[in-house]
Amino acid sequence: MKKSEVKVGIIFENRQKKTAVSPQLKKVLRQVCEEVLRQEGLDGLFEVSVSFVDDGQIRELNKQFRNMDKPTDVLSFPLSEDGVTFDVNGGTGAKLLGDIVISLERAASQADEYGHSFMRETAFLTAHSMLHLLGYDHEEGSPVSQGKAAAEMREREERALEKLGLTREDGDNA
């Protein structure tokens, strides 16, 4: 692997039955993860877990971990406390980023609401969550925000998606 190369191993888990998970979706989400890491100036091997759930399942997780009894679109569970220092998988040498949980039911609904594709919406949620795994936090009063506010996150999310050709006008509902 070249010094400036990024490679992400993703452990996908589909825990819902309402929305199909295509190989193309997995490929695009891997590209999004890699692009976010490149944008942040990181290189090397990384590992992340991505779970697909429905609104009921994400509501339970949101209640359990955030004390919010309502569904949400994506949850992020970073393994790093500072977004800089990562544990390493002893077998592969990959830096362990954490877990992303996406409600595909919510992603489909939001894609319709915002007038773009399911693929684009799911890619956006993945970019958003990857930034959380790297220490960005848009929640007020966050102890790890380090000045990485919502506007900065949005700009970085959009830049990663544009680089991959996933624009807001993307009407492909793959």
Side-chain angles (χ1 to χ4, degrees):
M1 180 180 302
K2 296 176 188 168
K3 178 155 175 38
S4 63
E5 194 173 324
V6 172
K7 184 90 172 149
V8 178
I10 300 180
I11 301 161
F12 287 104
E13 184 180 3
N14 186 9
R15 301 186 335 218
Q16 56 82 50
K17 295 180 181 178
K18 296 180 179 184
T19 306
V21 176
S22 70
Q24 179 65 17
L25 178 65
K26 290 179 180 181
K27 178 182 175 186
V28 167
L29 298 189
R30 183 179 322 283
Q31 292 170 336
V32 168
C33 291
E34 290 174 351
E35 184 57 35
V36 167
L37 290 165
R38 271 192 291 278
Q39 261 185 200
E40 295 301 307
L42 300 171
D43 59 37
L45 295 172
F46 296 87
E47 187 175 298
V48 64
S49 165
V50 176
S51 297
F52 302 117
V53 299
D54 60 31
D55 278 355
Q57 293 163 317
I58 208 161
R59 179 181 184 160
E60 285 301 314
L61 291 169
N62 204 22
K63 182 178 178 182
Q64 180 181 353
F65 291 100
R66 297 178 67 221
N67 203 26
M68 300 176 86
D69 190 8
K70 63 182 183 177
T72 189
D73 48 13
V74 65
L75 290 171
S76 310
F77 298 97
L79 292 176
S80 173
E81 290 186 25
D82 60 7
V84 177
T85 308
F86 303 100
D87 289 338
V88 175
N89 179 325
T92 65
K95 296 172 187 147
L96 303 173
L97 299 178
D99 303 309
I100 297 171
V101 181
I102 301 171
S103 170
L104 293 185
E105 186 176 1
R106 181 58 50 108
S109 172
Q110 288 177 177
D112 288 342
E113 178 182 343
Y114 301 138
H116 54 245
S117 73
F118 171 75
M119 184 76 73
R120 197 258 183 221
E121 183 64 19
T122 309
F124 170 81
L125 296 174
T126 301
H128 181 84
S129 195
M130 280 294 292
L131 289 169
H132 279 306
L133 297 184
L134 296 174
Y136 287 80
D137 199 336
H138 53 81
E139 302 286 331
E140 275 201 41
S142 169
V144 295
S145 67
Q146 304 168 6
K148 298 175 180 179
E152 186 178 353
M153 279 186 76
R154 182 56 47 96
E155 186 271 326
R156 290 173 186 274
E157 294 155 358
E158 294 297 335
R159 187 172 0 132
L161 296 182
E162 286 173 14
K163 177 92 175 189
L164 297 170
L166 294 164
T167 65
R168 289 185 180 274
E169 292 76 33
D170 176 22
D172 174 22
N173 283 311

